[in-house]
Amino acid sequence: LFRFSFDWNDGLFDVTWSENNEHVLITSSGDGSLQIWDTAKTKGPLQVYKEHTQEAYCVDWSQTRGEQLVVSGSWDQTAKLWDPAVGKSLCTFKGHEGVIYSTIWSPHIPSCFASASGDQTLRVWDVKAPGVKLVIPAHQAEILSCDWCKYDENLLVTGAVDCSLKGWDLRNIRQPVFVLLGHTYAIRRVKVS
């Protein structure tokens, strides 16, 4: 157990662990910055990246050990691609017309990530190709969370302010493959087992 804490001067909204170093993690914060921390060193952070102009609400480290890539999503309506070894973002993804609440790497396709937004869309991006790969008008409400299925590379699940969960097959986005109802409040986080 760790017996120390790290302090930052603004709220921390999300955290993601490195896939190749058990001591390294990245947090995203209300001042629009990302912080890299090393739990083996009690002083921190190792590095701070400040490019987002509003809250950096979500951050995710790629799940492939070959590529050390991080994606962040912000209330400034952009997602940014980072290599922690480089002192600035590699690329900025624009297209959302609302706050980005969730950015999640595909566990199957190393260069793809999904983003969920207050603009009511789920989007899929490929970092090796410019522009958005897929735009899904997934809910008639703000989408607060999304996650990839670990066992089906074409399945994504969204959770929204409309209190519903929806499953999306990327090969046919005209309608969801399932809709799960029952919550009485907005769904802030969804995770696929």
Side-chain angles (χ1 to χ4, degrees):
L1 288 172
F2 299 115
R3 290 187 161 48
F4 58 89
S5 64
F6 294 123
D7 292 319
W8 191 247
N9 59 5
D10 208 321
L12 299 178
F13 291 133
D14 203 4
V15 61
T16 185
W17 286 96
S18 166
E19 281 294 316
N20 71 348
N21 185 331
E22 65 183 23
H23 298 290
V24 175
L25 59 114
I26 294 180
T27 51
S28 63
S29 77
D31 63 6
S33 68
L34 305 180
Q35 305 80 28
I36 300 182
W37 310 90
D38 186 338
T39 61
K41 300 172 182 169
T42 55
K43 302 229 170 155
L46 299 178
Q47 189 94 35
V48 177
Y49 302 127
K50 175 75 170 77
E51 289 187 26
H52 285 297
T53 58
Q54 294 183 42
E55 287 87 337
Y57 199 70
C58 48
V59 63
D60 194 35
W61 208 304
S62 61
Q63 297 178 22
T64 54
R65 287 188 167 88
E67 294 179 293
Q68 285 299 300
L69 296 175
V70 172
V71 63
S72 61
S74 171
W75 291 4
D76 67 11
Q77 304 180 8
T78 69
K80 287 183 178 285
L81 178 69
W82 309 83
D83 178 338
V86 178
K88 60 180 182 177
S89 65
L90 304 177
C91 187
T92 300
F93 298 87
K94 297 178 180 176
H96 276 297
E97 297 172 7
V99 170
I100 296 177
Y101 289 110
S102 182
T103 48
I104 303 286
W105 286 104
S106 166
H108 308 281
I109 311 160
S111 63
C112 274
F113 71 90
S115 59
S117 170
D119 68 8
Q120 307 179 5
T121 66
L122 171 68
R123 296 177 189 234
V124 177
W125 311 81
D126 186 338
V127 301
K128 294 181 176 165
V132 66
K133 186 174 177 182
L134 204 56
V135 179
I136 304 170
H139 294 259
Q140 291 186 315
E142 287 192 300
I143 306 170
L144 303 180
S145 186
C146 66
D147 197 22
W148 294 83
C149 177
K150 293 172 181 64
Y151 306 105
D152 183 343
E153 68 181 39
N154 293 301
L155 183 63
L156 273 155
V157 179
T158 53
V161 170
D162 64 9
C163 309
S164 73
L165 292 163
K166 293 184 181 181
W168 298 96
D169 185 327
L170 300 183
R171 296 164 299 188
N172 181 4
I173 60 170
R174 280 175 293 198
Q175 59 187 28
V177 289
F178 63 79
V179 177
L180 302 175
L181 304 171
H183 283 288
T184 52
Y185 292 102
I187 297 168
R188 301 212 35 152
R189 182 62 60 96
V190 57
K191 286 287 182 187
V192 180
S193 70

